[in-house]
Amino acid sequence: MKHDIQLIVFDIAGTTVKDNGEIADAFQQAMHEHGYEIPQEKIYPLMGYKKPEAIRMMLEEYESDKPAITTSYINIIHSRFLQLMVQYYQTTNDLQPLPHAEEIFAHYKSKGVKIGLDTGFSHEITNVIIEKLGWLKDGKIDYVVSSDEVQAGRPHPYMIQKMMTAANITAAKKVVKLGDTEVDINEGKNARCLFSIGVTTGAFTREALQPYAPDFIIDDLKELMEIL
């Protein structure tokens, strides 16, 4: 490798796991059931956020009665989103890695690099995905951190820092972050990673990622080998 990389942190949905729009659909349905008609073009830019925070952002725009936007109310909507997503991932036959994801994991693990996943999902959803794919139990990855396991989700750096602590890595310049959203890119920057890389396989197009100035934008995870 060109660089001394010890940890690569990947997002899950849209980066390493195929996203067919089911997350935005569940988010939209949970909001709809509580009286909010939110177009999907408003939802996709929020996909990398911790989901209760994304719900709060939409309520602040769509709920005229601002005192009604309480933590309790947000949690009610989030619980419905969780229910829909867990049900989807438990029953779908279409949960699959994105092209070259497992190949890239294996390539870098063979070089002694730790592989981590982080996500805007809470652990209830993440656990179903990772268990069904077998990535942790089969040793394909080393760490998984969900947004509800740290004090704040992306774009804050805490999920990456939690993995760095677990891997006994003190220098952020030995870490690379990849993801398909604005907050993935800013998470990597806020953690001071060597590179914060955008991928076009999920919620954001190349044109949508460019304003956030990722170090690189790639269309396929296999391109990571050219960078590192």
Side-chain angles (χ1 to χ4, degrees):
M1 287 192 297
K2 303 172 189 175
H3 305 278
D4 180 19
I5 305 300
Q6 296 183 1
L7 171 66
I8 304 175
V9 179
F10 299 84
D11 172 51
I12 297 181
T15 301
T16 53
V17 174
K18 187 178 178 183
D19 175 14
N20 296 309
E22 59 273 357
I23 305 163
D25 289 345
F27 190 96
Q28 187 178 48
Q29 182 176 334
M31 297 298 290
H32 167 75
E33 289 177 8
H34 287 83
Y36 307 100
E37 301 301 330
I38 302 176
Q40 290 221 345
E41 59 264 27
K42 287 272 193 178
I43 296 171
Y44 275 108
L46 301 178
M47 286 297 93
Y49 282 89
K50 190 173 183 176
K51 295 307 176 280
E53 178 63 19
I55 292 167
R56 179 182 294 279
M57 293 164 74
M58 287 294 91
L59 288 176
E60 286 173 351
E61 182 171 348
Y62 284 87
E63 175 55 69
S64 57
D65 181 11
K66 301 307 179 189
I69 306 173
T70 63
T71 300
S72 176
Y73 186 46
I74 290 168
N75 287 342
I76 289 169
I77 300 174
H78 184 239
S79 292
R80 178 56 176 152
F81 170 77
L82 282 179
Q83 183 182 31
L84 290 167
M85 288 308 306
V86 168
Q87 181 180 46
Y88 170 80
Y89 283 124
Q90 283 178 336
T91 58
T92 185
N93 293 318
D94 201 28
L95 177 62
Q96 56 186 288
L98 276 165
H100 305 126
E102 294 184 342
E103 178 184 341
I104 287 294
F105 295 165
H107 172 77
Y108 285 104
K109 280 183 69 67
S110 73
K111 296 180 177 298
V113 178
K114 298 293 186 183
I115 301 297
L117 300 181
D118 72 358
T119 176
F121 288 144
S122 60
H123 69 279
E124 292 97 331
I125 301 172
T126 307
N127 291 350
V128 174
I129 296 170
I130 300 305
E131 179 65 26
K132 202 163 183 180
L133 291 171
W135 281 353
L136 202 56
K137 66 185 178 185
D138 293 345
K140 290 184 169 67
I141 61 172
D142 299 288
Y143 311 110
V144 183
V145 180
S146 300
S147 61
D148 61 341
E149 296 180 80
V150 293
Q151 60 263 53
R154 301 183 294 219
H156 299 282
Y158 304 126
M159 290 192 286
I160 291 175
Q161 290 170 348
K162 183 178 175 72
M163 282 183 263
M164 287 176 61
T165 298
N168 197 29
I169 297 169
T170 56
K173 294 304 180 187
K174 296 180 183 293
V175 182
V176 171
K177 163 67 187 181
L178 290 91
D180 65 303
T181 68
E182 164 203 350
V183 290
D184 283 295
I185 293 166
N186 285 325
E187 177 195 24
K189 290 185 172 187
N190 290 334
R192 302 186 183 279
C193 293
L194 175 66
F195 297 134
S196 191
I197 300 172
V199 298
T200 63
T201 49
F204 281 47
T205 62
R206 176 175 292 268
E207 292 72 25
L209 288 168
Q210 283 172 338
Y212 305 103
D215 296 293
F216 302 93
I217 300 176
I218 61 177
D219 302 311
D220 187 307
L221 290 177
K222 205 167 186 180
E223 294 175 53
L224 189 60
M225 288 192 277
E226 299 172 16
I227 297 169
L228 303 185

